[in-house]
Each structure stands twice: as structure tokens, then as C-alpha cells.
Amino acid sequence: MSFQLVLFGGTGDLAWRKILPALFQAYRHNTLPKGGRILGVSRDVLSDDAFRNLIGERFQNIEGEKRPTQEEFSEFAKLLHYQSCDLSSSLDYALLKNRLGEHVSDVCVMYLATAPQLFTTICENLGAQSLNSDSTRIVLEKPLGQDLKSNQEINATVKRFFQEWQIFRIDHYLGKPSVQNLFALRFGNSLFEPIWRRESVSSIQITLAEEIGIESRGPFYERTGALRDMIQNHALQLLCAIAMEPPINAHADAIRDEKLKVLRSLKPWTAKSLKHDLVRAQYRDGSVSGSAVKAYTQEDGVSKDSKTETFVALKTEVNNWRWAGVPFFIRTGKRLAQQDARIVINFRQTPHPIFQTPLGSANRLTIHLQPKDGMALHLFAQGPSQNTTKPAHHTQRTPLGPMLSPVQLNLDFEQRFGADRVGAYERLLLDALAGRLNLFVRSDEQEAAWSWVEPIIDDWQSGASPLYTYASGSWGPIESKEMIEHSGHHWDDDKQT
Ligand code: BG6
């Protein structure tokens, strides 16, 4: 058998929303290695067929062309098998071992799509059953811990049973085609490298805005919040992709070494910056895409006086030669005006103007990650009617040329490469099966990221900083706008594009 993929949390949300649909897409694209099987594992008592039926029903929720036809699903379902397991029962792991022993497989991937509190128990039991041989890989879903200490504890346990090359820590943002294109843009082209630095860049913005609320994940979100859910991992990984030095080659450790350096160069938080460069907030009721939605505190599984943040905005810097002094602004939130994940590189203004340009504007490169991925380079050009306008005069001695118009060079990846591209989970699952670690996070990266967010967690726990609110369907609290304007910048959506 080519592979066995053991999916812990096999009947959970993540399994049927992301992991199994991604495996199906790989199957459909003919990239899933032939002759493998997927073994769903959870506490529920189900037969193989009942598991297949359950997944078949859930797959009906998949929208559009990604939904399998009946024939496709019945073929794919042949790969699906099921083993009931109480994750704290050593006896059940022995049964799991017997089940896996029915076949000899080249690779066995243990995918832990469970609550992180269970990672330690699962690893200890896998180790006790010797289910951690050299052909085994373990995939760990985020969030890996609640803070630095719990992250270190999980990593220490996992490393007692698995070696680093066997451990695949997922950050699904790294699997997104748009993020891989960011690497391609930077390291597959020579054009941007000379200007990708403090001398040419005035600021960088990362926005990860979601329209959706917390869906059915109230209890999870209550103990997680936006800082742990989005900033500690996805946003910081994007920041690394923007700020890192070119790696010496495309090997996993070469890439991860460079990302680690960025994380270690992040400006440490001080009492002053925690006060001025950081905003947390929670959504009130409001209207999103024309529909009324309730406040966070009215969501199921959420405490009425919850202090969990659903929005974070912050300013930081990367303290190294390339980036010193360039502000990196990050914001993320749920129930915002629209789904929009983008990175904006703002370039400096021309050193000596001879044309007029709209006030305060300069070139910028926008990298759109979601909902569509693409890039737009914002330039200035002279429009056809402008030759006739009378030049404005800055002073008598320094006449300025005509007013230039903003124009864009657009690259739409869907148009160029088609809509049916390899999705994030599909890419990462195929990489885990193939043993490619490039798009997975190393433990020292995670620890550096947790160390950086730790003072924020402490500050918020102490109740020292206010929790603001914002109307659902807005771009977040006014304090986020004030925070960035205080440094002389604006969020990108405040500008005319
Ligand atoms: C997950 C978070 O990691 O990423 C979710 O737990 C969030 O809260 C999701 O909605 C966003 O991912 P994407 O791919 O939809 O941007």
C-alpha cells in the first residue's frame, strides 16, 4: 500500500470541511498516490460504511464545481475507512495498531485534527504502540498551544516520539497559491529585490479581513481569540514571507532559517508600544452583506460578558538592516465589511516631484490573497486629455508638470492559470504524503512567534488595555484607524484605488 492516512478527529468540523474535501480534490486531480487508504478516527462508534455515508452527506454542503458527483464520491469513498478510538484509552490504540497492521504501507501519516490539548496524549499513546517508526509522519493542526509554555510542552512531547523531519506543523496560509506566488515574486524575479527594502519602501500593511463570524466554534474561539487564531500564525508567517532574506536554496531548512531570523528581529513590545501600537476589539451586532448579524457576545457558546477579541490591529517593525524603521501594520478581524486578505507594499514618494500627483500618493504593490488572488502595481501615468491643461505652478521658479492619474498593472492568477488550482489543504496534504517540509513550520519558528505575542497576552490578561467594540460590517473600531493615522499612514481601504 502506498500510504495510510490516519485522521484523528475524523468526524470533526475540520475533517469534513477542509481535510477530506482536499483529499477528494487531490483524488480528482489524480495527484493522490494510488493504492492508499484514509482511516478516520474518533470516539463515535461507526462502521466503515456509516463513516462513508456521513462524509457523503457532509460533502453535499460543498458548493459549486468542487462538490463530487455521485459516481466520483462512490469511487473516492472506497479509500475511506474508520476506526473508533477513545483517545485516552491505551487499549483502543492497540486496536488501531492492529487495524494499521492489516497493510504494509510505504508511509503512514498521522493527522491530528483534534483539540491541541489532546496532542500530548495521542503522541504518548502512538509512541507506546511503536506507531512512530521512520515511515511515520505526524501532522499537527494549529493552534499549537495557548502560549509559549504550552507550545513548548507540546513540542517537547512530540519530539520525544518523532524527529523534526517527521513533524508537519500546519499553517494553511503557507499552502495558499497566493502565498506561494509571493515567494515566486520575490525569489523567482530579480525586478523587485533592489527596491524591497527600507530605502524604497515606506510601510507595509497586512490585512486579513473576514466577513464570517465565529460560526459554530464559540467555545474554541472563546479561549483562542483573534491574536492566537490569526496573528500568532497566519499573519506572522505572511510577514516572514515579505520580510525574509532570500534563502540559499529551496530546501525546507534554508527557508525556515530565514523566516526564523525575521521572527527574532520583530520589535519587542514595551509598555508604550502596547498602549499606542495595538488595538483589540470585539464585534457588536450590525449588518454584513445586507443581512443582520448578532454581536459576538450573543453567539452560541460565548459568555455574555466575554472579553475575547475578534479584531486586532497593530504596528510593528523588523529590526534589521533591510527594514529598520519601516512600519509593518497588521490587522485581522471577523465580521468585517468584506472578506479581503491583502498585503500592500507602499513605496516612497519620488524624491523630487516634477509632476503633480494626487495628494499623498505614491506607488504601491497590492498582493491580493483572498477572495481572489492576484497582484496590482499602482503607478502614475499621464492621461490623454491632460496635455492641454495649464501646468500648475508650485512656485514661479519650480513649475510642476501636469496632474498624473493613478493607473494599475493587474495580474489575475485565476484568469492566467484557471480557477481549478491546487487549494491550500490539498497542497499541504500532498506535501506531507511526499515528505516535503518547505511549507510547514519548524518548532523554533513557532516558539519565536509565541515569544513575541506573549507580552500582548499578559497585557490583556492584566486588563490593562481596553477592549473596544466595532459594528459588524465595518472595518473595525475607530481606534484602529486612529492608531495607523497617528503614524502618518492610512489603511489601504481608506484610499481611492
Ligand atoms: C483558521 C482560523 O486558521 O483560518 C479561522 O482558525 C479562520 O478562524 C481561517 O476563519 C481563515 O482561513 P481562510 O483560508 O478562510 O482565510
Side-chain angles (χ1 to χ4, degrees):
M1 183 160 258
S2 60
F3 73 89
Q4 301 200 71
L5 190 148
V6 184
L7 184 52
F8 290 91
T11 54
D13 251 30
L14 189 67
W16 66 262
R17 272 181 206 267
K18 301 275 190 190
I19 302 167
L20 291 167
L23 286 163
F24 168 71
Q25 290 305 325
Y27 169 81
R28 189 188 243 179
H29 291 146
N30 234 341
T31 46
L32 192 66
K34 300 255 177 313
R37 74 167 172 172
I38 299 160
L39 189 66
V41 168
S42 86
R43 187 190 277 269
D44 304 326
V45 179
L46 296 174
S47 64
D48 285 352
D49 278 338
F51 181 59
R52 289 173 188 142
N53 290 339
L54 178 79
I55 300 304
E57 276 166 30
R58 298 278 156 85
F59 270 24
Q60 291 308 307
N61 296 320
I62 300 176
E63 283 173 12
E65 294 184 351
K66 295 221 151 128
R67 185 193 302 163
T69 62
Q70 201 111 59
E71 298 76 62
E72 280 177 323
F73 185 74
S74 32
E75 280 308 303
F76 174 69
K78 292 181 186 158
L79 302 181
L80 300 179
H81 299 262
Y82 186 79
Q83 177 71 31
S84 163
C85 180
D86 171 349
L87 296 178
S88 56
S89 151
S90 43
L91 195 68
D92 281 7
Y93 286 91
L95 295 175
L96 175 63
K97 182 177 183 174
N98 287 345
R99 189 78 197 268
L100 289 172
E102 290 166 358
H103 299 279
V104 178
S105 58
D106 300 340
V107 175
C108 183
V109 172
M110 305 286 181
Y111 197 124
L112 274 49
T114 63
Q117 300 90 292
L118 295 168
F119 289 177
T120 301
T121 315
I122 299 175
C123 287
E124 283 169 348
N125 278 289
L126 292 177
Q129 297 293 337
S130 308
L131 286 172
N132 56 342
S133 68
D134 277 3
S135 58
T136 308
R137 291 167 198 152
I138 187 158
V139 181
L140 304 171
E141 262 296 337
K142 66 157 270 279
L144 218 63
Q146 280 286 100
D147 51 20
L148 178 62
K149 184 163 172 283
S150 53
N151 173 262
Q152 285 172 328
E153 280 165 8
I154 295 174
N155 274 328
T157 313
V158 179
K159 284 185 195 176
R160 268 184 20 234
F161 303 102
F162 296 91
Q163 299 185 49
E164 189 64 42
W165 58 265
Q166 295 175 286
I167 308 172
F168 292 70
R169 296 179 193 81
I170 288 235
D171 183 312
H172 78 277
Y173 266 62
L174 291 178
K176 287 185 187 281
S178 46
V179 178
Q180 285 160 56
N181 261 315
L182 177 56
F183 286 106
L185 171 87
R186 289 203 54 204
F187 307 130
N189 297 282
S190 58
L191 196 64
F192 286 106
E193 172 54 22
I195 53 170
W196 208 262
R197 56 190 64 246
R198 63 192 299 280
E199 288 78 3
S200 311
V201 173
S202 64
S203 72
I204 290 176
Q205 292 183 18
I206 301 173
T207 295
L208 303 178
E210 294 187 277
E211 235 183 65
I212 54 168
I214 53 162
E215 300 184 292
S216 53
R217 302 192 303 158
F220 160 80
Y221 204 84
E222 272 288 83
R223 56 173 191 274
T224 308
L227 181 73
R228 292 181 174 96
D229 193 38
M230 298 292 287
I231 302 276
Q232 185 274 339
N233 32 67
H234 305 323
L236 287 186
Q237 284 293 327
L238 291 179
L239 187 150
C240 286
I242 300 163
M244 68 194 264
E245 293 299 315
I248 54 167
N249 56 39
H251 284 140
D253 276 332
I255 296 169
R256 299 183 313 172
D257 287 348
E258 297 306 335
K259 287 196 287 164
L260 179 63
K261 281 193 219 160
V262 174
L263 292 164
R264 289 188 173 155
S265 316
L266 287 174
K267 188 175 170 183
W269 291 100
T270 60
K272 190 168 164 215
S273 61
L274 285 166
K275 189 155 179 250
H276 296 293
D277 300 341
L278 180 66
V279 172
R280 63 167 166 162
Q282 192 185 73
Y283 61 80
R284 301 191 302 271
D285 56 354
S287 158
V288 177
S289 295
S291 310
V293 295
K294 51 187 171 187
Y296 176 71
T297 48
Q298 301 302 314
E299 302 272 14
D300 290 343
V302 170
S303 145
K304 299 280 169 268
D305 56 0
S306 171
K307 294 280 173 278
T308 300
E309 79 289 353
T310 58
F311 177 97
V312 178
L314 61 87
K315 172 186 154 196
T316 188
E317 285 174 32
V318 176
N319 286 338
N320 63 19
W321 274 43
R322 188 186 282 267
W323 294 115
V326 177
F328 283 69
F329 297 101
I330 303 178
R331 69 179 163 166
T332 184
K334 299 226 177 258
R335 287 276 188 244
L336 294 181
Q338 63 190 62
Q339 185 199 24
D340 183 1
R342 63 166 78 180
I343 297 168
V344 182
I345 316 287
N346 286 308
F347 292 98
R348 294 192 187 280
Q349 293 187 327
T350 50
H352 173 68
I354 61 166
F355 289 105
Q356 301 171 72
T357 50
L359 192 67
S361 44
N363 298 135
R364 67 188 194 281
L365 174 70
T366 306
I367 300 161
H368 295 279
L369 308 176
Q370 252 164 209
K372 290 182 72 147
D373 58 330
M375 288 178 193
L377 186 58
H378 299 255
L379 306 169
F380 295 101
Q382 189 165 319
S385 59
Q386 287 168 341
N387 289 336
T388 54
T389 57
K390 205 165 154 244
H393 290 274
H394 184 49
T395 67
Q396 284 304 319
R397 303 194 58 208
T398 56
L400 283 181
M403 175 65 106
L404 300 184
S405 307
V407 290
Q408 290 182 30
L409 283 177
N410 277 329
L411 178 59
D412 177 333
F413 287 121
E414 187 175 311
Q415 229 171 43
R416 174 64 183 82
F417 297 120
D420 191 24
R421 278 177 299 144
V422 178
Y425 270 95
E426 183 181 350
R427 157 89 290 124
L428 295 174
L429 280 157
L430 291 173
D431 281 359
L433 286 170
R436 280 189 297 264
L437 277 160
N438 298 30
L439 300 176
F440 294 85
V441 183
R442 211 168 52 191
S443 63
D444 47 8
E445 283 179 77
Q446 274 189 338
E447 290 185 12
W450 277 117
S451 303
W452 185 74
V453 297
E454 194 97 314
I456 306 180
I457 296 175
D458 292 345
D459 181 67
W460 289 353
Q461 260 165 13
S462 76
S465 303
L467 172 74
Y468 300 107
T469 63
Y470 59 100
S472 288
S474 68
W475 276 106
I478 185 75
E479 288 78 6
S480 141
K481 204 167 146 64
E482 287 168 359
M483 188 263 299
I484 193 169
E485 285 178 2
H486 189 69
S487 334
H489 300 265
H490 319 267
W491 291 116
D492 192 50
D493 53 274
D494 296 340
K495 288 185 188 169
Q496 294 297 318
T497 41

